[in-house]
Amino acid sequence: MISASPAAAPAAVPASAYDTDDARWAAVQRRDPGADGRFYYAVRSTGVYCRPSCPSRGALRANVSFHASCLDAEAAGFRPCLRCRPTLPPLAERQAQAVAQACRLIEAAAEEPDLDRLAQAAGMSRFHFHRVFKAHTGITPKAYAAAQRAARVREQLPGAASVTDALYDAGFGSSGRFYASSGGLLGMTPGRYRSGGQGETIRFAVAQCSLGAILVAATGQGICAILIGDEPEPLVRDLQERFPRATLEGAEPDFERTVAQVIGFIEAPRLGLDLPLDVRGTAFQQRVWQALRDIPAGQTVSYAQLAERVGVRDGARAVAGACAANPVAVAIPCHRVVRTDGSLSGYRWGIERKRTLLEREGGNQVAGARDQA
Ligand SMILES: [Zn+2]
């Protein structure tokens, strides 16, 4: 009965585990969900029968009898417990089915489905559904929906007539306040954000890439910002703070090509970004950023090494500051700088994104940095 193969280890508990009344009683006492469906127990004092995992108050052993099936228990005169509902599939199974159904609903929906609707379809309260969904999938329904949309954008980008089409097809049409209020899918066509009013116009657009929301902005000279985050709105605020006196303008359709190029580059950094950059910084920052651009994809350096390369002794802290001020994620690859011990330290756009980028570049960053340090 018990397999010797280690590969079979996660298999179900052997039936023999519930062979004796003592084993069954032990399973009832620990409310073992693994025993559900193997047998049922009935309580003479209440006239009710339960599945072993039933959360109701414990019974006295003297009042308990065991039954192989619901029919068996009912033939003996017991009725099903209203709490653990022994005639239905086990709770975990029902929850897994409900979550799977919710996933299919999210996948099929053109827009992000409402949490209330998903919960209702699953027959749960909003709060309970959220918890059960997260327990089964590891992520929230919202994150699942976002991941689905990002995947669809990736699938559709090569063949789509335009990035806007791809985003629209992927359900970005009216999801989220930002998109709803912007009127445009890429960028914020109707919106013009003036602060200060000093001469320059910066075009920008917001889209979705596999790393999350991405904002791409350009002056007449080149790309001046690539910002990545969870939500579009903070990225737009970030852009405004970086260029407080410029006129920020939602991008026109011809900017889509640029955005598509940047997204393509984010997905496959090794291809390189064949677009001019227009990055503003102090002379020191510019030096650090140029040194960052000289690090090939797949390699990493430590902050101390980078400081050496720009000719600053004991300048690890100063170059870390310049890395954090980098306005163009990935294009200036500040993700290729790691701690001297090779571990990933902070990243302006989130440490998980740094990890993902380094994995995509396929370098052995941990060992590499340690060897060079
Ligand atoms: Zn019960």
Side-chain angles (χ1 to χ4, degrees):
M1 190 63 221
I2 296 167
S3 167
S5 159
V13 180
S16 57
Y18 309 112
D19 259 1
T20 64
D21 279 1
D22 281 348
R24 293 181 190 126
W25 177 237
V28 167
Q29 283 182 304
R30 61 174 189 270
R31 300 195 165 122
D32 178 2
D36 286 355
R38 305 304 188 112
F39 66 91
Y40 300 84
Y41 75 96
V43 183
R44 200 176 315 132
S45 51
T46 59
V48 162
Y49 74 95
C50 289
R51 61 176 85 247
S53 69
C54 181
S56 56
R57 203 158 51 90
L60 285 177
R61 174 71 185 90
N63 291 331
V64 167
S65 57
F66 299 102
H67 304 271
S69 66
C70 294
L71 276 180
D72 190 15
E74 283 174 36
F78 296 100
R79 60 183 191 283
C81 169
L82 291 175
R83 191 141 177 214
C84 65
R85 300 177 170 254
T87 54
L88 297 177
L91 181 64
E93 210 172 286
R94 276 179 277 148
Q95 287 183 342
Q97 274 171 10
V99 168
Q101 188 201 354
C103 289
R104 301 297 90 75
L105 278 176
I106 292 171
E107 287 155 19
E111 297 165 9
E112 184 180 319
D114 179 56
L115 186 59
D116 286 320
R117 244 190 56 213
L118 291 171
Q120 199 181 8
M124 300 178 200
S125 75
R126 189 187 158 91
F127 172 78
H128 187 55
F129 170 74
H130 196 267
R131 220 181 44 161
V132 167
F133 190 95
K134 191 153 184 234
H136 278 260
T137 63
I139 57 176
T140 64
K142 192 181 168 65
Y144 187 81
Q148 285 298 319
R149 286 202 306 278
R152 271 181 265 165
V153 170
R154 281 202 299 286
E155 276 167 22
Q156 289 164 5
L157 263 182
S162 72
V163 176
T164 304
D165 287 345
L167 291 176
Y168 217 131
D169 291 346
F172 275 101
S174 59
S175 73
R177 280 170 301 148
F178 175 79
Y179 295 102
S181 61
S182 75
L185 300 174
L186 273 175
M188 309 172 68
T189 329
R192 255 181 199 218
Y193 294 85
R194 281 172 205 279
S195 38
Q198 196 140 316
E200 199 162 31
T201 297
I202 291 174
R203 298 187 299 164
F204 76 100
V206 179
Q208 192 77 8
C209 68
S210 60
L211 297 175
I214 179 171
L215 182 149
V216 179
T219 65
Q221 278 74 51
I223 304 280
C224 63
I226 300 174
L227 312 176
I228 304 175
D230 295 333
E231 302 284 342
E233 282 171 310
L235 300 183
V236 177
R237 279 200 298 275
D238 187 2
L239 183 68
Q240 285 179 296
E241 279 160 23
R242 285 168 189 266
F243 301 95
R245 289 189 303 276
T247 302
L248 303 187
E249 203 172 69
E252 308 91 53
D254 67 354
F255 195 58
E256 287 170 14
R257 260 182 72 83
T258 304
V259 175
Q261 258 176 289
V262 171
I263 291 180
F265 165 65
I266 300 276
E267 307 299 347
R270 273 179 183 282
L271 297 178
L273 181 63
D274 191 21
L275 288 171
L277 298 183
D278 177 18
V279 289
R280 321 282 173 87
T282 65
F284 176 72
Q285 288 172 334
Q286 297 276 3
R287 245 156 71 208
V288 172
W289 296 342
Q290 187 51 53
L292 287 170
R293 298 195 76 191
D294 293 338
I295 307 170
Q299 287 186 23
T300 57
V301 301
S302 68
Y303 289 103
Q305 287 172 309
L306 188 62
E308 243 169 65
R309 290 184 189 186
V310 298
V312 185
R313 281 174 64 88
D314 301 322
R317 190 180 294 262
V319 299
C323 289
N326 169 21
V328 287
V330 192
I332 290 176
C334 59
H335 60 277
R336 293 181 195 146
V337 188
V338 297
R339 286 206 185 106
T340 302
D341 68 3
S343 66
L344 302 184
S345 55
Y347 185 49
R348 175 75 179 72
W349 291 287
I351 191 128
E352 278 313 311
R353 294 191 178 97
K354 183 173 188 170
R355 196 186 312 281
T356 304
L357 284 166
L358 289 173
E359 278 167 10
R360 269 184 207 170
E361 294 182 357
N364 187 354
Q365 70 276 2
V366 177
R370 195 183 292 126
D371 292 343
Q372 291 160 22

